[in-house]
Amino acid sequence: GRITMLGNESPGALPAALARTGVIPDRPHLHRYLTVSESMDLHRAFHSGWDARWAAELLEQFRLRPGQKVSRLSKGETAKLMVLQALCQKPDLLILDEPMDGLDPVVRRDVLAALLEYVSTRGATVLVSSHLVHELERFCDWIGVMDRGRLVVELPMSEFRSGNKRLQISTTHPIDAVGAPFTLLTHERDGGSNESWVVRGWRPEMTDWFAQEGVLLHDVADLDLEDGFVELLRAFRTHDA
């Protein structure tokens, strides 16, 4: 196969791509024996595009003390320092691995605000890997769902939110949803004539399909991102079993 990153062939031109890439891993990669200021100086030495003015602003905004040892930083302060260093090298691609995991709400808000400001001013691409699905809903515009290394689905966030629905229906006869205009993820029957369906790819005009099948559609309810994520994975694993 062939791999390109920011227009650069990999692995031949990988250094050129990495020079334009910022990474915030899930585990701290800072030298614990350095101070905050020394850690920033070391990171700056590897990146010619380092924005010293913005680094000073973020240092104050994040309430980090330049003389504080990295080993004495809290988890939230460590996360802020990693974000500061990654952003101030001015990358065109920013890769975040579980950036909000274990952070308190105040720190998450500060980190997210800095990330959103950077994306809006720089126009950079941000790739986020996270299990905190509700956090992604706030700032991602495209989502991909992976299960055990396989990509289950990828689509715009707006489409994922609007297309996942829970339907309440009543029917006196079995329904074959194979030819339905949507994708049936899961369905449950209450023992009588009522069923609950979770579907993907829903649009309002699809109500006509139920009328044609002689089925009463009682309710169409939105699923939040986390519920949609869970139902999608559950259906995928059931089908894959």
Side-chain angles (χ1 to χ4, degrees), residues 87-149:
L87 292 182
C88 290
Q89 71 183 64
K90 305 298 286 290
D92 293 312
L93 172 63
L94 189 60
I95 301 175
L96 314 178
D97 188 2
E98 300 286 356
M100 308 296 180
D101 188 30
L103 302 182
D104 68 57
V106 175
V107 174
R108 289 206 305 270
R109 182 192 60 192
D110 292 344
V111 168
L112 183 58
L115 292 173
L116 291 177
E117 179 184 359
Y118 180 74
V119 171
S120 64
T121 56
R122 180 77 175 185
T125 296
V126 181
L127 178 64
V128 185
S129 171
S130 178
H131 290 87
L132 300 177
V133 182
H134 60 281
E135 290 286 354
L136 302 180
E137 191 170 13
R138 298 175 56 192
F139 64 94
C140 290
D141 56 12
W142 194 279
I143 185 170
V145 178
M146 295 192 71
D147 182 49
R148 291 170 286 192

Side-chain angles (χ1 to χ4, degrees), residues 160-171:
F160 189 88
R161 280 200 302 253
S162 63
N164 291 324
K165 304 290 184 182
R166 187 182 302 277
L167 313 179
Q168 301 297 332
I169 67 172
S170 295
T171 178

